[in-house]
Amino acid sequence: MARTQAADYDDRRKAIMATAARLYALHGFLGASIAQIAAAGETSKSLIYHYYPSKEDILFDVMDSHVQGLVETALAVEAGSEEPRDKLRRLARDLMEHYEGAQSNQKVLLNELGNLPVDRRQDIVDRQRVVIDVVDRLLLAIRPDLAQDRPRRRSLTMLFFGMLNWTHTWFDPAGPIKSQTIADDAAEMFLSGLAQPQA
Amino acid sequence: MARTQAADYDDRRKAIMATAARLYALHGFLGASIAQIAAAGETSKSLIYHYYPSKEDILFDVMDSHVQGLVETALAVEAGSEEPRDKLRRLARDLMEHYEGAQSNQKVLLNELGNLPVDRRQDIVDRQRVVIDVVDRLLLAIRPDLAQDRPRRRSLTMLFFGMLNWTHTWFDPAGPIKSQTIADDAAEMFLSGLAQPQA
DNA sequence: CCTACCGATCGGTAGG
DNA sequence: CCTACCGATCGGTAGG
């Protein structure tokens, strides 16, 4: 009988990635060693290097698999039929839901981009850019007067992401506040702050 | 004549701290070696260890000297005579000004807390807490109906800090947008989002 | 005799 | 999948 280990190849790889994500999030990419990841996953360094050519390749996988989900979420919301303000409210909720379901990946995505080799870094930045651009287009639909002011739009958009992305430093899904409440509050602040064109 | 080199003790120490702050911000605490810090400052490792007992002590100094300024800023604004909403607007401006003037320290403060030994970490967390509590009290003054809902207030407060603190990832002081504009936008979003008590 | 500082190297541990 | 290692570099310290 042929060896069937390839059958659980994806599962093993995902398990390694999940353990790495947890330790990268906890100790930082440089602070978490391959030996620690192996021990935490009850395997060996050799096994890890069988599935990944390098420590940085695991990091890329942790980030890329996560950011791809964010891109899908953002594009799905944009493709809907709601009005721009409602799309933004929904996007806040869906992104927060994604963050909550992959906290380690999210932390790693936000904190460890600098530890990725330059060429692979661009892939991640490009995908993040897609998500940011969705918000930029929603903002433009809400505030057409900002059509000529790209820097200002970018600045306002980043305030929106600031509210959502900063949650990785303080939000506890097990606590009294739900991620949906946070998403709704962030969306309301953003939208009501946009309501009046300022001088 | 007695040696007078001790006269520039503080200057040398500050120079080491500034170089360390820059490299810690750029490469991360673990990614920046004492040797690199020495080379960048055109001195030697031995000189650095004459001024600091360990790499972590430099990290603590980078964070503590910065967060102390933030505490002073926040308490000064709170002690003023403006109404709560104006205090919050001013606080956003003053904090952003502080961030802009110490970008490396701010990045290190936000990213490297986990690399501080646990006992010294608490000192920094306590000081950050003072700044957060100022916003919590301003929020309470603006929305007295949230007096019994501490978790919600904490959550709203952290959305405010999210907008400001996330700037370290994208804001370029040399770009077309001024930090004051960002501060004003963030304060307006926060205040207008707070205006209507939600269901 | 002290403080300030240098060139060289220590014991351990990292990723691979 | 393990043990035994490597070249390099780490934070920290020696003598003078």
Side-chain angles (χ1 to χ4, degrees):
Chain A
M1 208 160 96
R3 294 183 64 173
T4 54
Q5 290 200 352
D8 56 9
Y9 182 91
D10 284 348
D11 287 344
R12 280 176 178 272
R13 200 176 147 106
K14 278 178 192 165
I16 292 169
M17 188 182 71
T19 303
R22 212 182 76 237
L23 293 183
Y24 288 171
L26 202 57
H27 305 295
F29 175 72
L30 294 175
S33 70
I34 292 290
Q36 285 175 322
I37 295 168
E42 291 179 323
T43 90
S44 66
K45 291 205 293 179
S46 306
L47 191 273
I48 290 175
Y49 280 106
H50 174 69
Y51 284 88
Y52 287 98
S54 76
K55 199 187 179 191
E56 280 83 4
D57 282 273
I58 313 177
L59 178 63
F60 179 80
D61 209 2
V62 168
M63 292 182 165
D64 194 52
S65 62
H66 179 57
V67 80
Q68 279 194 38
L70 301 179
V71 166
E72 285 167 25
T73 297
L75 294 179
V77 170
E78 190 179 32
S81 56
E82 298 153 300
E83 61 135 329
R85 282 180 177 77
D86 284 333
K87 282 183 181 175
L88 196 122
R89 291 184 180 98
R90 177 176 291 261
L91 182 59
R93 282 195 181 196
D94 290 358
L95 286 177
M96 279 302 295
E97 198 180 316
H98 239 85
Y99 292 174
E100 193 175 358
Q103 285 186 282
S104 291
N105 299 65
Q106 174 70 1
K107 243 190 163 75
V108 172
L109 176 65
L110 298 183
N111 291 332
E112 307 296 345
L113 202 58
N115 288 117
L116 220 47
V118 274
D119 50 318
R120 318 210 65 184
R121 199 181 304 173
Q122 195 56 46
D123 294 348
I124 304 296
V125 170
D126 287 346
R127 292 191 204 276
Q128 285 182 306
R129 177 66 185 260
V130 172
V131 180
I132 292 169
D133 284 346
V134 167
V135 174
D136 184 64
R137 286 191 291 271
L138 291 176
L139 170 57
L140 189 56
I142 296 166
R143 284 281 303 267
D145 60 300
L146 292 177
Q148 304 308 321
D149 199 348
R150 203 171 205 297
R152 187 78 191 291
R153 259 156 45 218
R154 163 57 61 117
S155 171
L156 292 167
T157 295
M158 293 317 277
L159 293 183
F160 175 73
F161 280 105
M163 288 190 274
L164 299 189
N165 289 353
W166 190 244
T167 56
H168 86 269
T169 68
W170 62 271
F171 173 55
D172 173 14
I177 300 289
K178 289 182 177 169
S179 77
Q180 223 176 69
T181 306
I182 295 167
D184 291 349
D185 284 339
E188 274 332 293
M189 285 185 176
F190 186 68
L191 291 172
S192 59
L194 287 181
Q196 62 278 36
Q198 282 118 354
Chain B
M1 206 161 96
R3 298 183 63 172
T4 52
Q5 289 202 354
D8 56 8
Y9 181 90
D10 283 348
D11 286 345
R12 280 175 178 273
R13 200 177 147 105
K14 278 178 190 163
I16 292 168
M17 189 184 70
T19 304
R22 212 181 77 237
L23 293 183
Y24 288 169
L26 201 58
H27 306 296
F29 174 73
L30 294 175
S33 70
I34 292 289
Q36 286 175 323
I37 294 168
E42 289 178 325
T43 94
S44 66
K45 290 207 295 177
S46 305
L47 192 273
I48 290 177
Y49 280 107
H50 175 71
Y51 284 88
Y52 286 98
S54 76
K55 199 188 179 190
E56 281 83 4
D57 283 272
I58 314 177
L59 179 62
F60 180 80
D61 209 3
V62 168
M63 292 182 165
D64 195 51
S65 62
H66 179 55
V67 81
Q68 279 195 37
L70 300 180
V71 166
E72 285 168 24
T73 297
L75 294 179
V77 170
E78 190 178 33
S81 57
E82 298 153 301
E83 61 135 330
R85 282 181 178 77
D86 284 333
K87 282 184 181 174
L88 196 122
R89 291 184 181 99
R90 178 177 291 260
L91 182 59
R93 283 194 181 197
D94 289 358
L95 286 177
M96 279 301 296
E97 198 180 318
H98 239 85
Y99 292 175
E100 194 176 358
Q103 285 185 282
S104 292
N105 299 64
Q106 172 72 0
K107 245 189 160 76
V108 171
L109 176 64
L110 297 182
N111 291 332
E112 306 295 344
L113 202 58
N115 288 117
L116 220 48
V118 273
D119 50 319
R120 319 209 63 183
R121 200 181 305 173
Q122 195 57 46
D123 294 347
I124 304 296
V125 170
D126 287 346
R127 292 191 204 277
Q128 284 182 308
R129 177 66 184 261
V130 172
V131 179
I132 292 170
D133 284 346
V134 167
V135 174
D136 184 64
R137 286 190 292 270
L138 291 177
L139 171 55
L140 189 55
I142 296 167
R143 283 281 303 268
D145 61 299
L146 292 177
Q148 304 309 320
D149 199 348
R150 203 171 207 295
R152 187 78 192 292
R153 258 156 45 216
R154 163 57 60 117
S155 170
L156 291 167
T157 296
M158 293 317 277
L159 293 183
F160 175 73
F161 280 104
M163 288 190 275
L164 298 190
N165 289 353
W166 190 244
T167 55
H168 86 268
T169 68
W170 63 272
F171 173 55
D172 174 15
I177 301 290
K178 288 183 178 168
S179 76
Q180 223 175 68
T181 306
I182 295 169
D184 291 348
D185 284 338
E188 273 333 294
M189 284 185 176
F190 186 68
L191 292 171
S192 58
L194 287 181
Q196 62 278 37
Q198 282 119 355

